[in-house]
């Protein structure tokens, strides 16, 4: 049987075929997970975003316009949800509740293996998390997700020139953070 | 014919795409010509190249095994819960806003005075429904419940059903509020609420 296109799935779902929504989730869950994971750096938060994205998509499928692709639409929801989650994290940090809420995230690795977590990965993660929100978003979309500047511009409503500057400064800050950590 | 850029900043901004191989041929040639006479860009490109090589070998760890086979059932479960959740007028229209307000005041009272402005800036950046989410999340860790259960508060808030008059009376001390639900609060509303809460904290 031929796999249905995104538009066919959306149309079927709009007509009441619930299983079409299941197909959409199965088709895009992994991509959306990794978008969120790059923003939030831990599995539990990324999982929350995945749930949120598909629940929103389910409830707002009528808002989807076929001019943009389904993945682009889901991606935009994921980026916005991730940025909102980052803001909430900042508030939590302000209340000094991180230590109470912190749960060791082993990402599925054994505890021993988690303890041996790669030092470079940790430093890079830390550096990315310290970036200002906009620079982080541009870095994730350009470096990790390989989007064109035009696509990012559409999502973040920023000029291409501004995006290039954000990308440059993001890379510069990550590089400086990692280098200084190694030097010290 | 393409214009040749002479601006150093222009070429600097090409460096990230250069080290990830995403420049078009013409851009790449122009950058190479600039690099022939620019030590700063050469140094920066070497730094970026090292970083990119490092990042390519430092991918995040995979999620737990079987994770992706459990995503859909959990989404379905949550959708089911949302569609069958009964709305209790008592909780959603009266106790929820009272509880949320109590938690916000409780949290603010614990904050040192000199952090007031930072808090205001941060909370002001949140949408009002996000603020409500944070309040609910924090309530679970602060033991500041004034309502029957945090679950019912969370459920009520997620329904975003706040009585406008009650909210106006409680949050704005009787001012003529025009919002129907927490999601309709503007930044101005949030700032006003924070100001009022700040006054209560001082008292």
């Amino acid at each position: 049987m031929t796999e249905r296109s995104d538009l066919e799935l959306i149309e079927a779902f709009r007509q009441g075929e619930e299983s079409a929504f299941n197909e959409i989730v199965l088709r895009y869950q992994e991509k959306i997970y990794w978008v969120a994971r790059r923003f939030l750096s831990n599995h539990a938060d990324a999982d929350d975003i995945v749930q949120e994205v598909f629940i929103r998509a389910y409830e707002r499928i009528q808002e989807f316009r076929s001019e943009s692709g389904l993945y682009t639409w889901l991606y935009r929801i994921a980026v916005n949800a991730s940025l909102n989650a980052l803001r909430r994290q900042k508030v939590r940090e302000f209340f000094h509740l991180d230590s109470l809420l912190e749960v060791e995230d082993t990402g599925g690795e054994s505890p021993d293996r988690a303890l041996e977590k790669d030092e470079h990965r940790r430093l890079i993660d830390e550096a990315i998390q310290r970036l200002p929100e906009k620079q982080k978003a541009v870095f994730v979309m350009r470096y990790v997700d390989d989007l064109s500047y035009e696509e990012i511009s559409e999502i973040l409503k920023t000029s291409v020139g501004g995006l290039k500057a954000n990308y440059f400064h993001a890379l510069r800050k990550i590089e400086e953070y990692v280098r200084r950590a190694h030097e010290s | 014919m393409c214009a040749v850029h002479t601006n150093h900043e222009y070429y600097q901004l090409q460096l990230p795409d250069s080290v990830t191989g995403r420049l078009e041929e013409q851009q790449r040639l122009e950058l190479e010509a600039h690099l022939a006479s620019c030590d700063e860009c050469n140094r920066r490109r070497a730094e970026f190249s090292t970083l990119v090589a490092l990042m390519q070998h430092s991918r995040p760890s995979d999620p737990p095994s079987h994770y992706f086979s459990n995503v859909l059932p959990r989404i379905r479960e949550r959708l089911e819960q949302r569609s069958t959740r009964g709305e209790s007028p008592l909780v959603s229209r009266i106790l929820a806003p009272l509880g949320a307000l109590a938690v916000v005041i409780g949290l603010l009272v614990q904050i040192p005075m000199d952090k007031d402005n930072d808090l205001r800036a941060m909370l002001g950046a949140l949408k009002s429904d996000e603020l409500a989410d944070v309040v609910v999340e924090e309530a679970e860790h602060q033991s500041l419940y004034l309502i029957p259960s945090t679950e019912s508060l969370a459920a009520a808030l997620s329904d975003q059903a706040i009585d406008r008059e009650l909210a106006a009376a409680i949050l704005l001390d009787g001012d003529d509020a025009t919002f129907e639900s927490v999601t309709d609060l503007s930044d101005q509303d949030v700032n006003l609420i924070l100001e009022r809460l700040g006054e209560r904290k001082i008292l």
Side-chain angles (χ1 to χ4, degrees):
Chain A
M1 194 177 129
T2 318
E3 194 178 64
R4 288 190 285 183
S5 71
D6 287 349
L7 285 180
E8 286 170 332
L9 286 175
I10 288 167
E11 199 44 45
F13 179 49
R14 281 173 170 166
Q15 311 250 330
E17 189 193 319
E18 285 287 319
S19 64
F21 175 74
N22 295 352
E23 280 187 59
I24 292 172
V25 173
L26 294 174
R27 186 172 291 179
Y28 289 113
Q29 59 179 1
E30 194 160 347
K31 279 184 164 182
I32 295 299
Y33 171 82
W34 283 110
V35 170
R37 180 71 182 270
R38 260 98 187 200
F39 272 96
L40 297 159
S41 85
N42 75 75
H43 170 70
D45 289 342
D47 176 46
D48 286 344
I49 298 297
V50 172
Q51 305 266 322
E52 188 179 335
V53 167
F54 286 108
I55 286 170
R56 279 195 203 178
Y58 184 94
E59 292 172 340
R60 299 179 186 182
I61 199 74
Q62 299 303 338
E63 293 172 18
F64 174 75
R65 299 285 173 266
S66 51
E67 322 60 276
S68 69
L70 175 59
Y71 178 61
T72 307
W73 186 62
L74 294 172
Y75 185 92
R76 190 176 291 135
I77 297 174
V79 168
N80 285 329
S82 300
L83 292 175
N84 290 341
L86 284 170
R87 290 188 198 113
R88 288 199 292 267
Q89 272 183 3
K90 281 183 194 164
V91 175
R92 275 202 291 271
E93 283 162 15
F94 186 92
F95 288 119
H96 304 294
L97 284 167
D98 269 12
S99 55
L100 291 174
L101 300 174
E102 219 165 72
V103 177
E104 183 63 26
D105 174 23
T106 62
E109 297 172 341
S110 69
D112 284 348
R113 194 184 163 106
L115 285 173
E116 294 165 9
K117 201 159 119 182
D118 178 61
E119 175 68 2
H120 288 152
R121 191 178 73 209
R122 185 183 64 76
L123 283 174
I124 290 167
D125 265 357
E126 277 179 12
I128 294 170
Q129 293 314 312
R130 284 164 185 257
L131 291 175
E133 188 180 283
K134 189 74 166 283
Q135 289 175 15
K136 185 191 292 186
V138 175
F139 172 78
V140 170
M141 287 188 247
R142 181 68 177 168
Y143 179 79
V144 182
D145 295 329
D146 221 19
L147 297 189
S148 69
Y149 285 115
E150 288 70 27
E151 288 170 311
I152 303 171
S153 172
E154 173 65 24
I155 293 168
L156 294 180
K157 311 290 179 208
T158 304
S159 69
V160 169
L163 294 174
K164 286 185 178 179
N166 276 307
Y167 188 33
F168 173 83
H169 289 298
L171 226 56
R172 179 181 61 77
K173 286 178 186 172
I174 296 169
E175 192 277 329
E176 283 172 2
Y177 183 84
V178 173
R179 180 159 42 85
R180 282 181 189 154
H182 280 304
E183 284 168 2
S184 63
Chain B
M1 196 176 101
C2 295
V4 176
H5 291 268
T6 53
N7 186 331
H8 167 74
E9 280 73 31
Y10 169 83
Y11 290 110
Q12 251 196 343
L13 300 187
Q14 309 294 323
L15 292 174
D17 286 331
S18 159
V19 296
T20 52
R22 297 194 68 185
L23 283 186
E24 290 176 7
E25 186 60 10
Q26 182 62 34
Q27 290 175 308
R28 192 185 65 76
L29 292 172
E30 286 178 16
L31 178 63
E32 291 302 331
H34 172 75
L35 287 167
S37 60
C38 182
D39 290 343
E40 188 185 338
C41 282
N42 266 308
R43 180 183 53 77
R44 186 68 77 185
R45 183 165 76 164
E47 290 169 350
F48 283 177
S49 295
T50 306
L51 175 67
V52 166
L54 200 62
M55 289 196 289
Q56 282 168 349
H57 292 94
S58 310
R59 293 174 57 81
S61 57
D62 287 334
S65 57
H66 307 304
Y67 167 69
F68 289 113
S69 56
N70 290 324
V71 171
L72 180 58
R74 288 190 298 126
I75 289 172
R76 280 286 172 197
E77 192 181 339
R78 282 182 60 182
L79 287 169
E80 183 69 21
Q81 283 170 358
R82 287 162 85 100
S83 67
T84 58
R85 183 188 300 144
E87 186 178 328
S88 157
L90 177 69
V91 170
S92 63
R93 297 175 72 82
I94 299 173
L95 294 179
L98 277 174
L101 177 67
V103 174
V104 170
I105 292 173
L107 292 173
L108 286 173
V109 165
Q110 296 183 350
I111 299 167
M113 289 299 289
D114 57 351
K115 291 190 174 181
D116 221 17
N117 290 333
D118 290 342
L119 174 67
R120 204 175 294 274
M122 250 188 301
L123 294 186
L126 284 174
K127 290 180 190 166
S128 48
D129 56 340
E130 293 167 358
L131 178 61
D133 283 347
V134 171
V135 167
V136 171
E137 285 171 25
E138 300 318 323
E140 292 174 358
H141 300 277
Q142 296 274 354
S143 302
L144 287 168
Y145 320 150
L146 291 181
I147 57 163
S149 79
T150 315
E151 278 176 7
S152 56
L153 170 61
L157 281 178
S158 69
D159 282 340
Q160 296 162 357
I162 303 286
D163 181 281
R164 66 194 302 205
E165 287 175 12
L166 183 64
I170 295 170
L171 299 180
L172 302 176
D173 283 343
D175 281 359
D176 289 327
T178 53
F179 54 86
E180 292 282 351
S181 73
V182 280
T183 52
D184 292 332
L185 285 168
S186 67
D187 289 349
Q188 230 176 354
D189 293 329
V190 172
N191 284 333
L192 186 57
I193 289 168
L194 289 169
E195 274 173 33
R196 294 296 165 88
L197 290 173
E199 287 165 16
R200 288 169 189 232
K201 185 186 76 172
I202 293 164
L203 290 173

